[in-house]
Amino acid sequence: MSKYGFIVEALEGLKEQGLYNIIRTIGSPVGAWTVVDGRRVLNMCSNNYLGFANDERLKAAALRAIEEYGVGPAAVRSIAGTMTLHRELEKKLAEFKGTEDAVSFQSGFCANLATIPALVGKEGVIFTDELNHASIIDGCRLTKAGRVIYPHRDVDALAKALEDHKDAPVKLIVTDGVFSMDGDLAPLPGIVEVAERYDALVMVDDAHGEGVLGSHGRGIVDHFGLHGRVDIEVGTLSKAFGVVGGYVAGKREIVEYLRQRGRPFLFSSATTPADVAACIAAVDVLMETDEPVRKLWENARYFKSKMQELGFDTGQSETPITPIMLGEAKTAWEFSKRLFDEEIFAQAIAYPTVPKGKARIRVMISAVHTRDDLDFAIEKFAKVGRELGVI
Ligand SMILES: *Cc1c(COP(=O)(O)O)cnc(C)c1O
């Protein structure tokens, strides 16, 4: 066997277990209806919560920025890559989030990789929810810090772990705000309370709360009225904001430190003028109006209630993320394939993104879905659900 034999075997294994990702290709702007693998289908799985991925205002801002600044900064932020646009975006994000300062990164993934190792060294301890996003897990792996993985959303277990490690010089609690695969919320008020008791830092990854929760989509901290009590808010500009990028908003000292020590800031080139300008436009739109956020929630409530009436298990979601729980990966893939035949684009999600046996189709509702779109989707889900004996 060649030296690639183990890879070939691993690929075969994925296929046998139904865990092999079918990667579909988008051939149009991302909207309610999107061209996927050459067919126009109803898009039910992009993170395009507010429809910003193809918004005219964002596109115009990106085009203007290309004319004014070109296509790339050709440097990392700390050497020659910080353009006036990057600073403008950071100021705007801090204003939007109601924090002292903000620093932007190339992605939400990078923001987590930048932040966790910068803040916690080998003397410190990280307390992390068992269902946290992969980028938080990897951020933890980049440190030599101690690690306590606490049961999902269990504040009592967290408090006990903090008590056990109360003498650690740095304690960092990190949690998804909205858990990305289930749509449930972190118990942030409880977390903040125990953190204050033990003098621990609190870091929340608001990737799916941004543009969704709180007034005008300001996120989970605003939703719970915890301004000033959460030390670090990680955000992404790649989901509700419709573009690409990530950021950290929080206390001035922390943000300043990340500009000095956040490794993706120091060692990976800055985001492009077009991206940054589009992000600025997205924040501007959201500060001006909460219309798309209200539409998103109206759509989400409608879809979820109809799916429940049909007998689908939609899990524990408290947000527009709507998992349709199907169990085995093979069922989920089959369901997704049948939906695609029916002009519905809704990808299956299986291990390792979610635990084994908890495969699902994760429906992402958008403000740009019309009521007719949702009714069309509901009808097709019902049809395929009956065919496959799920309902
Ligand atoms: C998507 C996601 C990220 C990564 O954000 P990108 O900007 O896509 O890199 C980080 N954390 C959570 C919880 C996410 O859902």
Side-chain angles (χ1 to χ4, degrees), residues 165-176:
H165 295 275
K166 63 175 187 289
D167 297 328
V170 178
K171 296 176 278 291
L172 173 70
I173 303 167
V174 55
T175 182
D176 278 20

Side-chain angles (χ1 to χ4, degrees), residues 47 49 105-112 131-136 175-181 204-209 234-239 243-247 321 362:
N47 300 314
Y49 287 113
F105 292 95
Q106 301 87 343
S107 69
F109 204 110
C110 281
N112 279 324
L131 292 190
N132 276 344
H133 189 261
S135 55
I136 294 177
T175 182
D176 278 20
V178 177
F179 288 86
S180 49
M181 294 301 139
V204 62
D205 178 343
D206 210 13
H208 285 278
V234 169
T236 175
L237 301 159
S238 334
K239 288 175 179 148
V243 194
V244 72
Y247 67 91
I321 295 173
R362 185 184 57 156

Side-chain angles (χ1 to χ4, degrees), residues 35-356:
V35 175
V36 182
D37 287 348
R39 293 181 54 202
R40 191 168 167 275
V41 290
L42 183 62
N43 186 345
M44 302 295 285
C45 61
S46 294
N47 300 314
N48 187 25
Y49 287 113
L50 304 176
F52 284 179
N54 191 37
D55 186 282
E56 293 304 328
R57 295 160 290 192
L58 274 65
K59 282 162 64 177
L63 289 168
R64 276 197 308 273
I66 289 175
E67 290 300 341
E68 204 171 324
Y69 292 90
V71 290
V76 301
R77 289 287 305 274
S78 53
I79 296 179
T82 298
M83 293 174 147
T84 50
L85 282 173
H86 292 97
R87 290 300 299 135
E88 188 185 336
L89 174 62
E90 291 171 347
K91 286 197 190 104
K92 210 145 249 182
L93 285 169
E95 186 191 338
F96 178 65
K97 299 291 282 187
T99 58
E100 292 176 2
D101 201 356
V103 53
S104 69
F105 292 95
Q106 301 87 343
S107 69
F109 204 110
C110 281
N112 279 324
L113 295 194
T115 306
I116 300 171
L119 294 179
V120 205
K122 66 175 187 297
E123 309 295 325
V125 180
I126 303 168
F127 304 83
T128 172
D129 187 289
E130 65 179 338
L131 292 190
N132 276 344
H133 189 261
S135 55
I136 294 177
I137 296 172
D138 288 5
C140 294
R141 285 178 178 155
L142 291 175
T143 77
K144 295 196 168 76
R147 207 161 309 161
V148 175
I149 300 169
Y150 62 87
H152 185 47
R153 303 173 72 215
D154 189 339
V155 176
D156 293 336
L158 171 63
K160 190 175 172 305
L162 282 162
E163 174 67 27
D164 292 345
H165 295 275
K166 63 175 187 289
D167 297 328
V170 178
K171 296 176 278 291
L172 173 70
I173 303 167
V174 55
T175 182
D176 278 20
V178 177
F179 288 86
S180 49
M181 294 301 139
D182 294 280
D184 52 345
L185 298 187
L188 208 52
I191 289 176
V192 164
E193 214 181 288
V194 295
E196 286 170 353
R197 216 182 308 145
Y198 289 96
D199 224 11
L201 294 166
V202 177
M203 168 169 167
V204 62
D205 178 343
D206 210 13
H208 285 278
E210 227 79 69
V212 176
L213 295 173
S215 162
H216 291 238
R218 287 185 165 81
I220 192 168
V221 170
D222 189 79
H223 170 81
F224 282 123
L226 293 169
H227 289 287
R229 296 173 71 191
V230 171
D231 304 284
I232 303 134
E233 291 178 63
V234 169
T236 175
L237 301 159
S238 334
K239 288 175 179 148
F241 284 79
V243 194
V244 72
Y247 67 91
V248 171
K251 300 284 176 199
R252 185 165 291 116
E253 302 88 310
I254 294 175
V255 171
E256 186 185 344
Y257 189 61
L258 291 176
R259 287 201 185 96
Q260 300 302 318
R261 281 291 172 269
R263 290 170 70 85
F265 190 91
L266 304 175
F267 296 108
S268 181
S269 292
T271 40
T272 71
D275 290 327
V276 180
C279 290
I280 293 169
V283 184
D284 281 340
V285 171
L286 270 183
M287 290 213 271
E288 203 180 292
T289 173
D290 65 351
E291 226 278 324
V293 182
R294 281 191 285 115
K295 187 76 200 305
L296 167 69
W297 279 92
E298 190 187 306
N299 279 351
R301 289 195 182 101
Y302 179 75
F303 182 79
K304 211 182 284 182
S305 70
K306 291 285 177 193
M307 291 295 280
Q308 286 164 355
E309 275 171 35
L310 283 167
F312 284 107
D313 174 3
T314 60
Q316 308 300 317
S317 176
E318 301 166 72
T319 62
I321 295 173
T322 310
I324 309 299
M325 307 302 288
L326 295 166
E328 291 312 310
K330 277 186 176 150
T331 315
W333 281 116
E334 179 61 23
F335 205 113
S336 170
K337 231 165 63 204
R338 280 289 300 117
L339 283 175
F340 197 72
D341 297 338
E342 302 285 343
E343 300 176 318
I344 304 284
F345 180 39
Q347 290 284 69
I349 298 194
Y351 180 83
T353 310
V354 295
K356 281 187 178 150

